[in-house]
Amino acid sequence: MCGGKEYSFYAKLDEVERELTGKFVRIHQRYLVNPQQVEQIGTDHVAVAGKELPISRALKDEAVRNLARAMLIIE
């Protein structure tokens, strides 16, 4: 969702992640999140725009570390 609109986009998330150069954090095989939009970090999810997105077990330690680091830099 962007500005209340939904857009379809087809590309490999690995490619998108490389282009975003660290501005977003990979939390799951299917999700990249903008740390500025994360409202809560739970034990197995993050909340973004009132929705809970899962954090994969394989990426959990790195994702939480990267989110925390990014959130500290922002604030």
Side-chain angles (χ1 to χ4, degrees):
M1 296 274 280
C2 182
K5 297 180 181 180
E6 189 170 317
Y7 298 91
S8 294
F9 176 76
Y10 300 97
K12 290 186 178 186
L13 201 52
D14 290 334
E15 294 171 9
V16 175
E17 185 178 17
R18 276 193 298 273
E19 287 193 31
L20 293 173
T21 61
K23 295 176 185 165
F24 283 67
V25 175
R26 184 79 169 255
I27 61 165
H28 189 276
Q29 177 183 353
R30 297 180 179 183
Y31 299 108
L32 289 171
V33 296
N34 180 341
Q36 294 179 343
Q37 300 301 314
V38 173
E39 299 161 349
Q40 177 187 24
I41 302 172
T43 56
D44 62 351
H45 71 278
V46 297
V48 178
K51 295 183 181 181
E52 290 186 1
L53 302 174
I55 300 174
S56 74
R57 282 181 269 163
L59 297 174
K60 182 179 179 178
D61 291 339
E62 184 178 356
V64 170
R65 186 173 39 252
N66 290 338
L67 284 170
R69 184 179 301 124
M71 292 169 85
L72 286 172
I73 292 170
I74 293 167
E75 295 179 7

